[in-house]
């Protein structure tokens, strides 16, 4: 679908109320425009009335987290000024604010004897030490509604003998391992009980007796590994129950009673691997959080008894499969979060009955193909692709074509210049030239890869989501990933080999290397064999790499920054971190040694080559700098991703499509196209056409250098120095001109 259906003439429709948009499109509020799913809530109004940017906040999840991370109880009166407490003596420095008494972190082990109980509605004793808490000591506070005993090292509680006026009791972040059998006497009016952050491992049927008015129970961050129906049975008015971050393993029948008022149940961050079918019978439940557990399969009618469920959070599990009626019976569901799971695809029929679903969250945008009836589906892209385009960013799209053209044309020129035009170089230089031919062939593969991706983007333009699965899991994408990996690895190894060849020539100028074409060819065969094996491995060893290692993203790359711990992540890390780091260090150190050798040789011969030395140094610096520009960002970002930090999708896009191939486009320029020898060969070839340029003119500087060098050597009268100078001059020209 290339574009949204335009506004229709109301006169053309006898009954505009019956007008419906086609699948995957949504009607604007006050016009007959239809816009595609991805344009809803994308930050830009596409409807004439702007209705596509209305109601874009997912309040279901937001309200939960607002309450979950709410401020401390005393913060409700932060706007009031502090006043001296009239009952303070020399030993007490508590603060008063209206009817709030704040005695935080005062080292108290008991209530201050002078503390007046009159008109105190909030008492905050956070950070003091009450190893054994006697609830009777608060009986004299007739108007106390909020009692805060956080971080007070409480290990044991002595129950009160009579009811009090406390409405909210905060006992979080203490050392409780169990609760008294009857902690609260008859007549208790407690509405909020917070017991999070303790070490409670067992709850009994009498722990919560007499809590008829309790609306919120917070038991998160404890060690509870089992729960029976009779524990929560007395809480007939409970609305919110937090059981996050405990050790529960199953949600089964008889675990949670039929609490008619319960609206929010959080079982996140447990070890739950199974939710039994219809195990939860909670007719008023609106929000269910099962995030960060071990669920692998969602069975038919698992949530069938939750008829009023509005928000379901199953993110960060290990779900690989949904049965077709997994979400049966929850037709009122408005928000569904499935991020961070392992399913490769989801059948559209699984979501078809969720007709009121407004927000759905996946890890990968291509799953939105199964939820075309949902107004807002996240994410809308992965930084490289979107549901409309393989290459979503127009600038990125143009850059791929430019890089492909430069890579193909530049490397073809190198191959043409070195094979067709020919060279009259020495044997050593011929070996060096052979390495550069293979480097050009390797870099040419990267240009071909980019051309394939750019062509696929044109073919799928505007409707990529329709063809996305066919493309990523197809043969062409696998071939593209193979070409990219083969080009990257062979180019890296060849650059290392070329650097080693140069290093030997410069640091050992008098060493006569045995001329053996077989030796050079054998090196190249081994090099290409290693690179090919590295590129073929993900296509063959599917048990380790998975069935579609290269198809994990739309541009078929094996760098896997978006999912750094996917199958085969060790292989990806080894290629893009270890190999690249070793090559980069070797190349950088080698060029420094070469430059140092040239300077030492200049001093030995008492000859000044400052100008040439500067030229060579500049060329060396450019070579090392371009290698750093290509490899360092990849190494750093890959390490950051493995460290658990989120990488911006836009950064990933530019890194994968532009930075990674930069060496393939620049290598022809650095190693061949800008060298004097290539210019001489090209001029000689053009002169035969003719092109009007005489080859001797291009070699003028080289001839002058050779003549001056020979004069200097003759004047010195040293045969050894002359030989060394000739070798150095020749080798310097190799790096300046080859």
């Amino acid at each position: 679908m290339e574009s949204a259906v335009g506004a229709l003439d109301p006169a053309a429709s006898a009954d505009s109320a019956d007008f419906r948009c086609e699948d995957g499109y949504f009607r604007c509020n006050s016009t007959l425009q239809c816009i595609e799913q991805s344009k809803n809530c994308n930050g830009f109004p596409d409807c004439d009335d702007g209705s596509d940017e209305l109601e874009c906040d997912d309040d279901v999840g937001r309200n939960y987290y607002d309450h979950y991370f709410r401020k401390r109880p005393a913060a409700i009166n932060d706007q009031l000024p502090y006043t001296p407490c009239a009952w303070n003596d020399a030993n007490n420095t508590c603060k008063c604010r209206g009817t709030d008494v704040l005695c935080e972190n005062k080292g108290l082990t008991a209530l201050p004897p002078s503390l007046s109980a009159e008109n105190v509605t909030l008492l905050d004793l956070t950070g003091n030490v009450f190893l054994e808490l006697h609830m009777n000591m608060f009986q004299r506070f007739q108007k106390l509604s909020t009692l805060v005993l956080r971080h007070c090292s409480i290990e044991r509680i002595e129950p009160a003998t009579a009811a009090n006026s406390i409405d909210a009791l905060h006992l979080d972040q203490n050392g409780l391992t169990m609760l008294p059998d009857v902690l609260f006497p008859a007549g208790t009016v407690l509405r909020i009980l917070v017991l999070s952050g303790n070490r409670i491992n067992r709850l009994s049927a009498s722990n919560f007796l007499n809590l008829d008015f309790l609306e919120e129970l917070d038991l998160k961050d404890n060690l509870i590994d089992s729960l029976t129906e009779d524990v929560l049975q007395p809480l007939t008015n409970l609305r919110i129950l937090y059981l996050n971050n405990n050790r529960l393993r199953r949600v089964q029948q008889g675990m949670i009673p039929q609490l008619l008022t319960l609206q929010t149940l959080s079982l996140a961050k447990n070890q739950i691997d199974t939710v039994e079918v219809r195990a939860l019978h909670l007719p008023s439940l609106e929000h269910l959080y099962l995030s960060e557990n071990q669920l692998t399969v969602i069975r038919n009618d698992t949530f069938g008894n939750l008829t009023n469920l509005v928000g379901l959070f199953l993110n960060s599990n290990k779900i690989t499969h949904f049965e077709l009626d997994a979400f049966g019976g929850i037709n009122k569901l408005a928000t569904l979060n499935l991020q961070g799971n392992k399913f490769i695809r989801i059948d559209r029929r699984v979501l078809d009955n969720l007709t009121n679903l407004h927000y759905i969250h996946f890890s990968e945008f291509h799953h939105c193909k199964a939820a075309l009836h949902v107004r807002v589906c996240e994410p809308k892209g992965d930084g490289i692709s979107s549901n409309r385009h393989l290459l979503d960013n127009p600038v990125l799209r143009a850059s791929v074509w430019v890089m492909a053209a430069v890579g193909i044309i530049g490397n073809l020129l190198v191959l043409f210049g070195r094979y067709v035009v020919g060279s009259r170089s020495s044997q050593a230089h011929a070996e060096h030239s052979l390495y550069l031919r293979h480097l050009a062939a390797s870099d040419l593969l990267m240009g071909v890869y980019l051309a394939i991706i750019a062509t696929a983007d044109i073919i799928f333009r505007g409707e990529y989501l329709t063809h996305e699965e066919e493309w990523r899991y197809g043969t062409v994408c696998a071939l593209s990933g193979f070409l990219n990996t083969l080009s990257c690895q062979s180019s890296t190894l060849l650059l290392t080999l070329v650097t080693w060849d140069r290093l030997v020539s410069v640091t050992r100028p008098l060493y006569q290397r045995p001329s053996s074409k077989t030796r050079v060819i054998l090196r190249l065969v081994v090099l290409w064999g290693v690179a090919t094996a590295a590129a073929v491995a993900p296509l063959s060893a599917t048990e380790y790499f998975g069935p579609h290692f290269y198809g994990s993203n739309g541009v078929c790359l094996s760098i896997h920054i978006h999912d750094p711990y996917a199958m085969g992540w060790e292989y990806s890390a080894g290629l893009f971190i270890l190999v690249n780091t070793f090559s980069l260090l070797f190349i950088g150190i080698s060029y420094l040694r070469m430059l140092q050798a040239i300077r030492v040789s200049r001093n030995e011969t008492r000859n000044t080559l400052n100008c040439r030395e500067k030229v060579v140094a500049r060329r060396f610096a450019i070579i090392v700098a371009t290698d750093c520009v290509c490899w360092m960002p990849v190494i750093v970002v890959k390490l950051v991703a493995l460290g658990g930090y989120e990488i911006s999708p836009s950064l990933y896009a530019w890194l994968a499509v532009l930075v990674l191939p930069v060496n393939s486009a620049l290598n022809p320029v650095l190693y061949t196209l800008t060298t004097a020898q290539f210019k001489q060969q090209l001029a000689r070839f053009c002169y035969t056409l003719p092109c009007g340029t005489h080859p001797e003119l291009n070699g003028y500087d080289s001839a002058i250098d050779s003549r001056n060098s020979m004069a200097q050597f003759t004047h010195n009268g040293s045969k050894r120095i002359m030989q060394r100078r000739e070798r150095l001059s020749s080798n310097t020209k190799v790096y300046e001109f080859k």
Side-chain angles (χ1 to χ4, degrees):
M1 304 175 186
E2 177 59 32
S3 60
V5 179
L8 302 178
D9 183 0
S13 176
D15 189 3
S16 61
D18 294 333
F19 173 72
R20 294 183 181 277
C21 300
E22 60 182 290
D23 199 22
Y25 286 75
F26 296 82
R27 180 176 169 179
C28 301
N29 286 352
S30 59
T31 70
L32 296 185
Q33 285 177 284
C34 291
I35 63 165
E36 59 187 287
Q37 182 188 63
S38 63
K39 292 185 177 180
N40 282 307
C41 301
N42 64 351
F44 303 96
D46 294 286
C47 289
D48 290 342
D49 58 5
S51 58
D52 56 306
E53 298 303 315
L54 300 177
E55 298 180 6
C56 290
D57 292 331
D58 189 352
D59 292 334
V60 174
R62 186 184 64 182
N63 292 340
Y64 167 77
Y65 287 107
D66 283 349
H67 185 268
Y68 188 84
F69 296 107
R70 61 191 182 276
K71 295 180 179 180
R72 69 191 193 286
I76 192 171
N77 290 325
D78 276 350
Q79 77 282 0
L80 298 178
Y82 289 105
T83 58
C85 297
W87 48 266
N88 266 341
D89 55 32
N91 298 321
N92 296 309
T93 56
C94 296
K95 297 178 181 179
C96 290
R97 188 174 56 189
T99 58
D100 296 351
V101 176
L102 310 177
C103 296
E104 301 163 280
N105 303 302
K106 302 301 180 184
L108 300 176
T109 57
L111 289 180
S114 59
L115 173 59
S116 173
E118 188 178 354
N119 296 326
V120 176
T121 59
L122 184 148
L123 178 59
D124 192 339
L125 295 167
T126 297
N128 292 287
V129 182
F130 300 98
L131 295 178
E132 184 171 337
L133 179 68
H134 294 269
M135 294 300 296
N136 275 334
M137 68 181 182
F138 302 105
Q139 290 296 108
R140 58 193 179 97
F141 296 91
Q142 299 299 316
K143 297 183 179 179
L144 183 64
S145 63
T146 302
L147 175 60
V148 183
L149 291 160
R150 306 180 65 209
H151 295 281
C152 288
S153 304
I154 301 170
E155 296 179 356
R156 185 172 177 272
I157 299 179
E158 216 29 68
T161 56
N164 51 45
S165 62
I166 297 175
D167 176 75
L169 177 59
H170 296 261
L171 290 166
D172 42 324
Q173 310 303 321
N174 284 290
L176 294 169
T177 57
M178 58 184 299
L179 300 176
D181 281 343
V182 183
L183 177 56
F184 302 98
T188 298
V189 295
L190 195 65
R191 192 173 51 86
I192 298 173
L193 176 59
V194 180
L195 292 164
S196 61
N198 283 277
R199 297 195 295 271
I200 299 171
N201 53 42
R202 183 175 59 84
L203 293 171
S204 67
S206 58
N207 286 152
F208 301 125
L209 288 175
N210 302 316
L211 292 179
D212 300 334
F213 297 97
L214 194 70
E215 296 181 4
E216 178 181 340
L217 176 59
D218 189 344
L219 289 166
K220 63 176 178 284
D221 302 322
N222 279 285
L223 304 175
I224 302 169
D225 57 9
S226 63
L227 196 63
T228 55
E229 190 174 27
D230 54 358
V231 172
L232 302 174
Q233 194 75 54
L235 308 178
T236 54
N237 283 296
L238 193 65
R239 293 191 306 106
I240 300 173
L241 174 60
Y242 292 129
L243 284 163
N244 313 47
N245 200 20
N246 279 279
R247 297 181 177 180
L248 299 172
R249 295 184 178 275
R250 298 174 66 89
V251 177
Q252 55 192 1
Q253 300 281 351
M255 175 178 169
I256 296 178
Q258 185 178 349
L259 300 173
L260 300 180
T261 58
L262 192 64
Q263 297 176 354
T264 298
L265 172 61
S266 181
L267 296 164
K269 293 185 179 181
N270 278 274
Q271 302 167 23
I272 299 170
D273 56 17
T274 303
V275 178
E276 292 184 1
V277 175
R278 295 180 180 266
L280 298 173
H281 190 59
L282 304 166
S284 298
L285 194 68
E286 296 181 355
H287 312 126
L288 176 60
Y289 294 84
L290 286 163
S291 315
E292 299 181 64
N293 280 289
Q294 307 294 318
L295 296 173
T296 56
V297 178
I298 304 299
R299 305 290 182 188
N300 288 337
D301 291 322
T302 297
F303 311 105
N305 286 333
L306 308 178
T307 54
N308 284 300
L309 197 64
V310 175
L312 176 58
F313 294 78
L314 295 168
N315 48 299
S316 301
N317 278 275
K318 298 179 179 179
I319 301 172
T320 58
H321 177 66
F322 299 89
E323 294 187 357
L324 289 182
D325 202 24
F327 300 118
I330 50 175
N331 300 330
K332 293 183 179 180
L333 197 69
T335 295
L336 176 61
N337 194 327
L338 297 173
Q339 288 178 317
N341 283 287
K342 294 187 175 182
F343 57 90
I344 297 175
R345 60 176 61 88
I346 180 171
D347 194 307
R348 181 171 181 174
R349 292 173 293 178
V350 173
L351 305 173
D352 271 349
N353 70 298
L354 303 178
T355 54
N356 288 304
L357 197 62
H358 295 296
Y359 309 93
I360 190 166
H361 305 270
F362 294 111
S363 291
E364 301 176 34
F365 74 93
H366 61 85
H367 292 311
C368 290
K369 183 166 56 176
L372 293 177
H373 64 294
V374 182
R375 180 173 178 262
V376 180
C377 182
E378 296 289 347
K380 301 182 185 300
D382 60 4
I384 299 175
S385 308
S386 68
N387 56 9
R388 300 191 67 218
H389 308 303
L390 173 57
L391 298 174
D392 191 48
N393 189 317
V395 178
L396 187 66
R397 197 178 302 152
S399 299
V400 171
W401 278 111
V402 171
M403 294 293 289
V406 172
I408 292 174
I409 296 173
N411 288 291
L412 284 177
L413 281 175
V414 172
L415 294 173
F416 174 79
R418 293 188 178 275
Y419 277 104
V420 179
V421 176
S423 174
R424 300 177 183 178
S425 303
S426 65
Q427 177 65 31
H429 294 174
E431 292 180 9
H432 187 77
S433 181
L434 182 60
Y435 292 148
L436 294 182
R437 293 174 194 173
H438 281 261
L439 179 61
S442 171
D443 293 335
L444 180 63
L445 296 178
M446 181 63 76
V448 173
Y449 156 78
L450 291 173
I452 292 175
I453 297 300
T455 303
D457 174 62
I458 290 179
I459 294 173
F460 303 137
R461 185 73 53 80
E463 51 184 24
Y464 174 61
L465 190 61
T466 305
H467 307 281
E468 179 271 341
E469 188 172 308
E470 175 188 354
W471 160 251
R472 288 198 302 119
Y473 302 151
T475 305
V476 178
C477 184
L479 174 63
S480 300
F482 168 80
L483 291 176
N484 179 277
T485 303
L486 178 61
S487 175
C488 284
Q489 298 313 306
S490 60
S491 180
T492 300
L493 296 175
L494 279 163
L495 285 174
T496 307
L497 183 59
V498 167
T499 302
W500 176 81
D501 182 68
R502 289 183 164 188
L503 178 64
V504 172
S505 297
V506 170
T507 57
R508 305 177 66 185
L510 298 179
Y511 173 68
Q512 296 294 328
R513 287 184 293 177
S515 60
S516 173
K517 189 173 183 180
T518 303
R519 171 174 51 82
V520 176
I521 292 175
L522 182 60
R523 288 177 184 170
L524 291 171
V525 168
V526 172
L527 185 148
W528 279 103
V530 171
T532 303
V536 168
L539 300 176
S540 54
T542 54
E543 289 186 3
Y544 171 72
F545 291 98
H548 306 289
F549 184 77
Y550 288 129
S552 66
N553 51 78
V555 290
C556 313
L557 286 177
S558 58
I559 189 170
H560 290 191
I561 290 175
H562 64 295
D563 187 7
Y565 288 102
M567 293 183 69
W569 70 268
E570 300 93 341
Y571 160 89
S572 178
L575 287 187
F576 291 100
I577 297 177
L578 296 182
V579 175
N580 285 2
T581 301
F582 170 79
S583 296
L584 187 59
L585 290 174
F586 177 79
I587 290 171
I589 294 171
S590 297
Y591 278 114
L592 286 175
R593 289 187 61 190
M594 282 187 263
L595 192 58
Q596 183 182 17
I598 292 172
R599 289 175 177 172
V600 170
S601 183
R602 179 197 66 188
N603 294 334
E604 288 180 359
T605 59
R606 295 187 179 90
N607 191 32
T608 302
L609 290 173
N610 287 332
C611 291
R612 175 166 295 174
E613 186 181 331
K614 289 180 180 178
V615 171
V616 174
R618 183 166 58 249
R619 182 175 292 278
F620 286 179
I622 292 173
I623 289 172
V624 175
T626 54
D627 290 340
C628 287
V629 168
C630 174
W631 294 339
M632 279 304 295
V634 176
I635 294 170
V636 171
V637 172
K638 185 72 175 173
L639 285 171
V640 170
L642 288 172
Y645 295 94
E646 185 176 354
I647 303 299
S648 167
S650 58
L651 174 61
Y652 173 42
W654 287 104
L655 185 73
V657 180
L658 189 62
V659 175
L660 195 60
V662 72
N663 253 8
S664 299
L666 293 180
N667 283 340
V669 178
L670 293 174
Y671 289 90
T672 300
L673 300 181
T674 59
T675 62
Q677 186 171 354
F678 182 83
K679 293 177 182 177
Q680 289 175 354
Q681 291 176 340
L682 184 62
R684 188 181 301 115
F685 178 76
C686 290
Y687 181 67
T688 62
L689 295 180
C691 290
T693 303
H694 203 280
E696 283 75 13
L697 295 177
N698 289 292
Y700 179 78
D701 291 337
S702 297
I704 293 296
D705 285 338
S706 298
R707 184 185 65 189
N708 291 340
S709 298
M710 289 299 294
Q712 177 68 34
F713 300 150
T714 303
H715 178 74
N716 290 340
S718 173
K719 184 177 180 179
R720 180 172 180 79
I721 293 177
M722 181 175 69
Q723 288 176 339
R724 185 175 180 84
R725 181 66 183 89
E726 286 176 342
R727 292 288 296 175
L728 176 62
S729 179
S730 175
N731 285 317
T732 302
K733 290 174 187 176
V734 169
Y735 311 110
E736 188 176 346
F737 305 131
K738 289 284 264 185

